[in-house]
Amino acid sequence: MSLPVDKALRKAQSHIKAGELAEAEELYKQVLSKFPKNKKAIQEYQKLKAGIPSKGLSSSEPPKEKVQELMSLYNHGQFDEVLSKAKPLISLFPKIIVLHNLVAAANSGLKNFDQAIESFYNVLALNSTDAMAYFNVGTIFFEKEEFDEAIENYHKCLAINPNHAEAYDNMGSALKAQGNLTAAVEQFTQAINLKPNFAQAHYNLGVVLQKKGNLSEAIKSYEKACQIKPNYFKSYLGIGNTLKEQGKVDAAIDNYKQAIKIKPDYTDAYYNMGNVLKDKGEVDAAIDSYDKALKIKPDYADAYYNMGIVLLGKGELDAAIDSFKQTLKIKPDYAEAYSNMGNALLDKGELDAAIGSYKQALKIKPAFADAYYNMGNVLKDKGEVDAAIDSYKQATKIKPDFVEAHLNMGSTLKDKGDLDAAIDSYKQAIKIKPDPAAKHLLTSLTGETTKAAPREYVEDLFDQYAAKFEHSLIENLEYQTPKIITDMIIKRHSSKALGSVLDLGCGTGLAGLELRQFCENLDGIDLSEAMLRQARAKDVYDKLIHGDIAEHLAEADLDFDYFISTDVFIYVGELSDIFKLIKSRNKRPAKLVFSTEHAEGKDFYLEKSGRYSHSKNYIEGLCIKYGYHLSHFEKTKLRKDKGEFLTGGLYLLDFDPAE
């Protein structure tokens, strides 16, 4: 630099007046390169960079237009610009609180939380009684999930300003996040006492009351939030969720719809409505709701997961697997998605792949009792009984009251021939829960014969079995009874026109597929809704009824030519009521055709399998008692069991209506 410092600074000012800012900046840089501590050069250079004129303004405050510019930038979300333009201003005006607040807010907006806290501490260094600074620091700590620090700063805010309702509200949210629900209720209540029309506090109080199980009061809080703020969509979601817990599913759906009406892109409302529809059994509507959530938020892992659950229940296994894969693409550590994908692979018969999926779930979540249980089921299906038993033991070790694991372990031990250990497992299940299935299976091992398997046992068995029923029965067990029994009927029916037929225990509709072409009308009834869904998909029945066979026979208007039942009486045992009801209530001469697991002897018997076998003598006795004529009987290979065919009995009975 050739000029003396004073002359250089004066010349820089001349350049500024002439609008030659680049030349002025270069002179200041030259001065500062030789005299870096020159206060005047530093100050003037900073003013130049901040765009502040050198004359006509107080040196203690920044120009109002500069502060307004920063505020405008902040309000438009241009946080980086705020930081860039505020830095030189703070160098010139280090004691101006609004500048520190703007820098703190911009850093917070950029998730630069530590820098934001530092700026708010600068505010507090200038004014230790600034309640809002403590409030803002608390809010940043809350976002960082450092809840103790958040609560500490809210307390400091309230020590200065005891009427700060928002601080009470935020402190309640921090306490809720820590699980301290009772203290959270106190804080939200205090916020409402200070500010009765504080909609957010009413909503937050509703959330905590719902978590505490105080559902009626929760709804009141949500409704109050809606009264204050009619478009408060979150409150409608809260009301819907609470009504769902109360079992008021239709009212819940109405509230989800209201939330969506206010906020059409409200993914959580679509998702929660999907969950309610799923629970109602309206599976297609549930899938549609999940789809809408995913169109708005394509990375919604839980929506993909629950859609997978619904598709799995429908038996759409490939689609279910795709949904679980999408879930895992978004959230790779979603152990439950791996476990349920394993269930879908199991239902497809891909047993090794299913085991691989369960192992992946356990790698993520080692104490995952359901994954061990499900893997035990696959190993049982593969015939690896020792490995299956070990998996069930792992499940019960993690979850000692896992009734289903004790039950399936008992069944596996029974298959292994270890009957004493099986009895112990069933007894353990009954000790945990007086479960009808456990009692039935235990009875089957003690030599006692009951009249029928419990309804709950049969319904649950086939609800779980529905998706893999046909693959397992036809492919693995070589089951052909529906075809065989249809052929037997047609051979003995000259016109091959069967008239009106009732399929008792229609299951997935295998018999319906064989019979449809010969029927004028075909109705079906089954205890398992999951099995009926499979039957509906075949579109061969004129009418399908969900219910108990005996109850239906006792109540319905019976006017059929044929009553047909394949592999159903193996879960009934005592057939007297069914024979009596059909004979006494049907309006026309008809035939009763059915299959049994065949037994020698004079009665029916509860086998160790938990199923019933019937002797020909027993059926003949019923025919005599209730007025049926045994037109045909033959033995058949019913299906495989442990690699060997079970012997079945096929019966065709004629009867006239009761007089």
Side-chain angles (χ1 to χ4, degrees):
M1 186 181 71
S2 58
L3 292 174
V5 173
D6 289 345
K7 285 187 178 181
L9 293 176
R10 285 197 296 274
K11 189 171 183 180
Q13 286 294 306
S14 297
H15 282 307
I16 290 171
K17 288 178 181 179
E20 299 165 350
L21 302 184
E23 289 83 350
E25 182 177 353
E26 181 58 33
L27 277 173
Y28 286 135
K29 285 181 178 179
Q30 289 178 20
V31 172
L32 290 169
S33 68
K34 288 204 171 190
F35 306 98
K37 294 184 179 181
N38 187 293
K39 290 183 180 180
K40 189 171 183 181
I42 293 169
Q43 186 180 48
E44 294 299 329
Y45 178 64
Q46 288 174 337
K47 285 183 179 181
L48 174 66
K49 294 301 290 179
I52 298 172
S54 297
K55 294 183 180 180
L57 289 171
S58 168
S59 61
S60 63
E61 293 184 5
K64 288 182 180 179
E65 64 270 18
K66 291 295 175 182
V67 176
Q68 288 170 351
E69 180 188 7
L70 291 177
M71 288 180 174
S72 177
L73 289 168
Y74 176 79
N75 290 333
H76 286 86
Q78 295 175 262
F79 303 135
D80 286 315
E81 283 290 303
V82 172
L83 296 178
S84 174
K85 291 182 179 292
K87 185 177 178 182
L89 283 173
I90 286 178
S91 297
L92 288 169
F93 309 104
K95 295 185 178 181
I96 302 303
I97 286 176
V98 67
L99 296 178
H100 292 289
N101 274 324
L102 282 165
V103 168
N107 272 313
S108 181
L110 292 167
K111 307 297 182 185
N112 299 331
F113 293 135
D114 291 337
Q115 294 93 317
I117 289 170
E118 182 181 348
S119 289
F120 281 128
Y121 282 159
N122 289 336
V123 172
L124 289 165
L126 295 168
N127 180 9
S128 61
T129 61
D130 191 329
M132 276 304 297
Y134 282 116
F135 175 79
N136 289 327
V137 171
T139 301
I140 292 171
F141 277 122
F142 182 87
E143 285 197 58
K144 291 180 72 178
E145 297 186 0
E146 296 178 17
F147 300 117
D148 287 334
E149 291 81 357
I151 291 166
E152 180 184 348
N153 278 277
Y154 291 137
H155 276 302
K156 289 178 179 178
C157 168
L158 290 164
I160 298 165
N161 181 5
N163 295 322
H164 201 308
E166 288 77 6
Y168 281 112
D169 181 57
N170 281 19
M171 184 151 57
S173 294
L175 289 161
K176 179 189 74 175
Q178 289 182 322
N180 192 347
L181 302 184
T182 301
V185 168
E186 293 173 1
Q187 301 306 315
F188 293 134
T189 303
Q190 185 63 31
I192 291 165
N193 289 339
L194 289 168
K195 192 175 177 181
N197 286 334
F198 194 173
Q200 180 175 293
H202 285 287
Y203 166 77
N204 285 331
L205 179 59
V207 172
V208 177
L209 290 169
Q210 183 183 346
K211 282 182 176 290
K212 284 173 69 70
N214 194 343
L215 303 184
S216 297
E217 291 302 312
I219 289 175
K220 288 179 184 177
S221 286
Y222 289 135
E223 288 177 341
K224 183 65 177 177
C226 291
Q227 289 170 13
I228 297 165
K229 189 177 177 181
N231 288 338
Y232 203 160
F233 53 87
K234 283 186 178 180
S235 278
Y236 286 106
L237 179 72
I239 294 169
N241 291 342
T242 311
L243 289 166
K244 178 192 173 188
E245 286 190 56
Q246 291 181 324
K248 300 174 182 177
V249 292
D250 291 330
I253 290 169
D254 288 341
N255 277 276
Y256 295 138
K257 287 180 178 177
Q258 182 62 32
I260 291 165
K261 184 178 179 181
I262 297 166
K263 184 176 170 60
D265 63 347
Y266 197 5
T267 54
D268 286 348
Y270 282 115
Y271 169 72
N272 282 281
M273 184 158 65
N275 291 343
V276 173
L277 290 164
K278 178 186 73 172
D279 293 344
K280 280 188 74 180
E282 297 180 17
V283 291
D284 292 329
I287 289 170
D288 181 64
S289 204
Y290 293 136
D291 269 331
K292 286 175 179 174
L294 287 164
K295 282 177 183 175
I296 299 163
K297 186 180 176 183
D299 63 346
Y300 202 152
D302 284 340
Y304 273 117
Y305 173 74
N306 279 284
M307 184 155 62
I309 296 293
V310 174
L311 291 165
L312 177 58
K314 283 187 73 179
E316 296 181 18
L317 304 179
D318 289 328
I321 289 167
D322 285 342
S323 279
F324 294 133
K325 284 181 177 177
Q326 286 293 335
T327 306
L328 292 163
K329 186 177 179 181
I330 298 162
K331 190 176 178 183
D333 62 345
Y334 206 140
E336 290 78 8
Y338 275 112
S339 183
N340 279 288
M341 186 159 66
N343 293 343
L345 290 163
L346 166 61
D347 289 348
K348 282 190 73 177
E350 298 178 18
L351 304 188
D352 290 332
I355 289 171
S357 202
Y358 296 135
K359 285 182 176 178
Q360 190 62 37
L362 289 164
K363 185 177 178 181
I364 296 164
K365 188 177 176 182
F368 194 175
D370 283 352
Y372 275 116
Y373 168 73
N374 290 330
M375 187 156 64
N377 293 341
V378 180
L379 292 164
K380 181 174 182 283
D381 282 357
K382 288 187 73 177
E384 298 178 20
V385 292
D386 289 330
I389 290 164
D390 183 62
S391 273
Y392 293 135
K393 284 180 178 177
Q394 290 290 341
T396 56
K397 184 178 179 182
I398 296 164
K399 188 178 175 183
D401 61 348
F402 201 155
V403 172
E404 293 80 6
H406 287 290
L407 281 174
N408 283 17
M409 182 155 56
S411 297
T412 311
L413 288 162
K414 178 189 68 180
D415 292 344
K416 189 182 177 184
D418 194 346
L419 300 188
D420 289 338
I423 288 169
D424 287 341
S425 284
Y426 291 141
K427 284 181 176 178
Q428 183 62 32
I430 292 167
K431 185 178 178 182
I432 297 164
K433 179 184 175 184
D435 186 76
K439 290 180 179 178
H440 175 69
L441 293 168
L442 179 61
T443 300
S444 73
L445 297 183
T446 60
E448 181 184 350
T449 293
T450 54
K451 288 187 177 182
R455 173 175 176 158
E456 300 94 324
Y457 165 68
V458 178
E459 187 171 7
D460 185 61
L461 177 68
F462 285 99
D463 277 346
Q464 291 186 39
Y465 198 28
K468 60 181 177 180
F469 177 78
E470 292 186 12
H471 180 274
S472 174
L473 206 58
I474 296 170
E475 300 298 325
N476 299 338
L477 305 181
E478 301 181 31
Y479 177 71
Q480 294 293 323
T481 302
K483 181 175 183 354
I484 293 168
I485 212 166
T486 302
D487 290 343
M488 182 189 79
I489 294 168
I490 297 304
K491 283 178 183 177
R492 288 160 182 80
H493 199 105
S494 56
S495 70
K496 296 186 180 181
L498 305 184
S500 184
V501 177
L502 178 59
D503 186 356
L504 299 168
C506 61
T508 62
L510 290 175
L513 283 173
E514 300 292 337
L515 292 163
R516 175 72 266 183
Q517 62 182 309
F518 306 111
C519 301
E520 180 183 329
N521 179 77
L522 177 61
D523 291 354
I525 178 171
D526 202 273
L527 195 57
S528 166
E529 179 58 44
M531 297 286 273
L532 287 172
R533 282 200 292 270
Q534 303 284 329
R536 286 190 193 100
K538 291 181 173 62
D539 196 27
V540 295
Y541 291 90
D542 296 290
K543 183 179 181 181
L544 284 168
I545 304 111
H546 178 221
D548 178 80
I549 290 172
E551 289 176 5
H552 181 72
L553 293 173
E555 297 168 0
D557 185 21
L558 302 181
D559 192 13
F560 293 95
D561 296 292
Y562 275 85
F563 294 83
I564 295 174
S565 186
T566 58
D567 262 27
V568 175
F569 294 164
I570 59 176
Y571 294 101
V572 179
E574 174 61 77
L575 300 176
S576 294
D577 286 347
I578 290 174
F579 273 58
K580 180 181 178 181
L581 288 165
I582 291 173
K583 166 71 176 177
S584 64
R585 302 198 70 248
N586 197 53
K587 295 178 180 178
R588 66 176 86 171
K591 301 179 189 295
L592 172 59
V593 186
F594 58 92
S595 64
T596 66
E597 285 190 17
H598 184 69
E600 301 299 334
K602 296 184 178 181
D603 214 334
F604 67 91
Y605 308 93
L606 178 58
E607 303 290 345
K608 288 183 171 58
S609 63
R611 303 187 299 268
Y612 292 89
S613 62
H614 299 80
S615 70
K616 185 183 178 188
N617 287 330
Y618 172 71
I619 300 298
E620 288 174 333
L622 293 178
C623 290
I624 293 167
K625 183 175 181 179
Y626 294 108
Y628 290 82
H629 172 68
L630 177 56
S631 300
H632 179 75
F633 166 78
E634 66 182 75
K635 292 182 182 179
T636 185
K637 290 181 178 179
L638 199 60
R639 67 184 174 280
K640 282 188 174 180
D641 184 63
K642 299 178 184 177
E644 300 292 332
F645 274 104
L646 289 171
T647 299
L650 301 182
Y651 295 84
L652 192 155
L653 314 181
D654 289 281
F655 67 94
D656 292 321
E659 296 179 0

